[in-house]
Amino acid sequence: PAAPAGTAGATPVNAPMPGNILDVKVAVGDAVKSGQVLVILEAMKMENEIVAPCAGTVAAINVNKGDSVDSGSVLLSLN
């Protein structure tokens, strides 16, 4: 499900490859550091850590544990 209008952050974090969401490590409002693990994405039977590209605050989370995503899908956004 897409984030409600007006809640998306300035920095989207996209899926680098198609896969399944194994875990979401943050919640909306959490302060994150650059390089912090945000989401665990399983692709081709490997767990991939999706990390924050910059420091910020989680503005919106667009995926849930168990969701399937395509390459380029916005997983969450940061402010």
Side-chain angles (χ1 to χ4, degrees):
T7 60
T11 306
V13 178
N14 300 323
M17 63 197 79
N20 295 313
I21 303 300
L22 292 183
D23 200 7
V24 178
K25 299 286 192 182
V26 293
V28 172
D30 286 359
V32 296
K33 297 176 185 172
S34 181
Q36 181 176 336
V37 176
L38 304 174
V39 176
I40 305 294
L41 175 70
E42 180 188 39
M44 299 184 298
K45 302 200 185 288
M46 293 185 65
E47 293 184 12
N48 299 282
E49 295 181 338
I50 309 303
V51 299
C54 60
T57 303
V58 178
I61 299 175
N62 301 346
V63 295
N64 296 303
K65 186 175 178 178
D67 287 356
S68 292
V69 297
D70 292 322
S71 182
S73 296
V74 177
L75 303 176
L76 53 88
S77 58
L78 305 173
N79 278 333

